[in-house]
Amino acid sequence: MAYLDNIQTFVRVYELGNMSAAARDQRISAAVASARISQLEEHLNVRLFQRTTRTLNPTEQGNLFYRGACKILEAVDAAEAEISNVTMTPRGSLYIAAPLGLGRRLIAPAVPTFKADYPLIDIRLRLSDRKLDLAAEGLDLAFFLGIPEDSALRIRKIADCPRVLCAAPAYIARRGMPETGEALVRDKHDCLNLRYPGAPEFQWPLQTPDGVRRFSVRGPFESDDGDVLTGWALEGHGVILKPVFEVAEHLKSGALVPVAEAEPPVPIQLACLYMHRRRQDPKTRLFIDFMAERIAQALK
């Protein structure tokens, strides 16, 4: 197991390009991570990384060994998956991420039920509306709204979520009811947008008589927390674009009302992202299947 630990640490150092980051990912100290790399280099009788005070770059031998190391870890994962399938006792921790609204309303409430069904699996749930790097942050899987940019990840589509443009009655009384996307832009409506580092420019895709059009909208407020945007909308500060499940209770109570209903937003894809070899892990597969069923029921 010590040699396998060394290989796992090497792979994470290679992928993250940083000893300290790899140590945090492996939940070990930087000194232990460095010692594991040194032991591996001594065993192989090669230098795997060129180290300076500021940089850590793989050598030619390091690049070669990385490809083989990944195959080793994939084989171990596959073997453990076979054993877990036979014994029907999946165990261990799952590191999962989801957007705030989705995580709070659909994922988190179902976690205790999953834990009751599979008591040997521990769930480590991280909620954030910012863009996440699965490999760099040690995540097994991440739920996602939209179209992922990283083609290296595997994706499982779960559902198309209907969306709604809505605002508080107080805002509509003050600014008027926008009937179309063109009106949102022409009348300079206050549109509340989700902004995080690396986020694209704000364009709301709406279904118009001429097909799908993307409207560039602006507003006085933006946040990297989707629930903050909902709070601002409830206070009458502007229009929000939201998956229906996130604001259903407010629409039902009348605290928010739909706007521009003649040109509704395009539904957004809800999917699960994972790295290829993580899907072989029975606990990962079980959690994805479990949540896909629960989410599909919740969206009906």
Side-chain angles (χ1 to χ4, degrees), residues 10 14 17 47-50 56-63 66:
F10 163 76
Y14 184 100
R47 182 172 292 279
L48 298 171
F49 295 102
Q50 293 289 355
L56 184 73
N57 297 309
T59 62
E60 182 180 351
Q61 292 86 351
N63 289 327
Y66 173 74

Side-chain angles (χ1 to χ4, degrees), residues 107-119 123 287 290-291 294:
I107 305 297
V111 165
T113 303
F114 179 84
K115 177 65 175 176
D117 291 344
Y118 302 99
I123 303 300
F287 192 82
F290 175 87
M291 283 298 169
R294 294 292 292 259

Side-chain angles (χ1 to χ4, degrees), residues 18-52:
N18 183 283
M19 192 74 70
S20 296
R24 288 193 297 271
D25 175 74
Q26 295 281 293
R27 292 163 184 82
I28 57 178
S29 69
V32 170
S34 180
R36 287 182 178 178
I37 298 301
S38 296
Q39 291 170 9
L40 197 55
E41 289 178 327
E42 183 177 351
H43 174 76
L44 297 171
N45 196 30
V46 297
R47 182 172 292 279
L48 298 171
F49 295 102
Q50 293 289 355
R51 302 172 179 84
T52 70

Side-chain angles (χ1 to χ4, degrees), residues 4-299:
L4 186 59
D5 289 341
N6 292 350
I7 292 176
Q8 289 173 331
T9 300
F10 163 76
V11 167
R12 296 308 286 144
V13 171
Y14 184 100
E15 291 174 344
L16 299 178
N18 183 283
M19 192 74 70
S20 296
R24 288 193 297 271
D25 175 74
Q26 295 281 293
R27 292 163 184 82
I28 57 178
S29 69
V32 170
S34 180
R36 287 182 178 178
I37 298 301
S38 296
Q39 291 170 9
L40 197 55
E41 289 178 327
E42 183 177 351
H43 174 76
L44 297 171
N45 196 30
V46 297
R47 182 172 292 279
L48 298 171
F49 295 102
Q50 293 289 355
R51 302 172 179 84
T52 70
T53 55
R54 294 186 178 181
T55 62
L56 184 73
N57 297 309
T59 62
E60 182 180 351
Q61 292 86 351
N63 289 327
L64 183 63
F65 187 70
Y66 173 74
R67 294 193 291 271
C70 287
K71 293 178 181 178
I72 291 171
L73 295 181
E74 288 173 5
V76 171
D77 283 347
E80 290 182 347
E82 291 288 344
I83 294 298
S84 294
N85 283 332
V86 171
T87 61
M88 295 301 290
T89 55
R91 65 184 66 218
S93 294
L94 272 177
Y95 293 84
I96 300 160
L100 288 163
L102 171 63
R104 287 170 176 164
R105 291 166 182 80
L106 298 182
I107 305 297
V111 165
T113 303
F114 179 84
K115 177 65 175 176
D117 291 344
Y118 302 99
L120 298 181
I121 301 177
D122 294 331
I123 303 300
R124 314 299 185 197
L125 180 61
R126 182 186 306 171
L127 301 184
S128 175
D129 282 330
R130 69 179 176 85
K131 182 180 178 180
L132 299 173
D133 185 326
L134 270 71
E137 301 188 44
L139 296 168
D140 293 299
L141 60 137
F143 293 90
F144 188 91
L145 289 167
I147 304 298
E149 299 175 3
D150 192 343
S151 60
L153 297 175
R154 299 298 174 129
I155 181 169
R156 171 171 169 182
K157 181 179 176 180
I158 295 175
D160 283 321
C161 297
R163 293 191 286 179
V164 62
L165 289 171
C166 54
Y171 175 85
I172 296 170
R174 187 174 75 254
R175 295 292 308 276
M177 169 66 81
E179 300 291 345
T180 64
E182 198 68 50
L184 281 172
V185 176
R186 182 190 65 236
D187 298 335
K188 297 181 179 179
H189 277 275
D190 296 333
C191 297
L192 308 175
N193 283 288
L194 187 69
R195 169 70 79 179
Y196 51 89
E201 291 301 310
F202 301 128
Q203 291 188 331
W204 287 357
L206 306 183
Q207 300 175 14
T208 75
D210 298 323
V212 175
R213 286 186 57 192
R214 307 183 74 88
F215 294 89
S216 297
V217 296
R218 297 183 179 181
F221 306 142
E222 58 188 51
S223 175
D224 62 355
D225 184 328
D227 283 348
V228 167
L229 301 181
T230 301
W232 285 336
L234 288 167
E235 294 170 359
H237 296 301
V239 180
I240 53 173
L241 169 62
K242 283 284 185 175
V244 171
F245 73 81
E246 286 196 32
V247 293
E249 61 182 300
H250 304 307
L251 294 170
K252 184 176 181 180
S253 70
L256 293 174
V257 296
V259 304
E261 290 188 272
E263 297 181 350
V266 174
I268 191 169
Q269 175 183 253
L270 191 164
C272 186
L273 303 174
Y274 54 91
M275 289 182 287
H276 177 58
R277 64 188 182 90
R278 301 286 176 95
R279 184 66 173 89
Q280 298 176 6
D281 187 338
K283 62 180 180 292
T284 302
R285 184 173 64 251
L286 284 169
F287 192 82
I288 294 174
D289 291 344
F290 175 87
M291 283 298 169
E293 182 178 352
R294 294 292 292 259
I295 290 171
Q297 292 175 353
L299 294 178

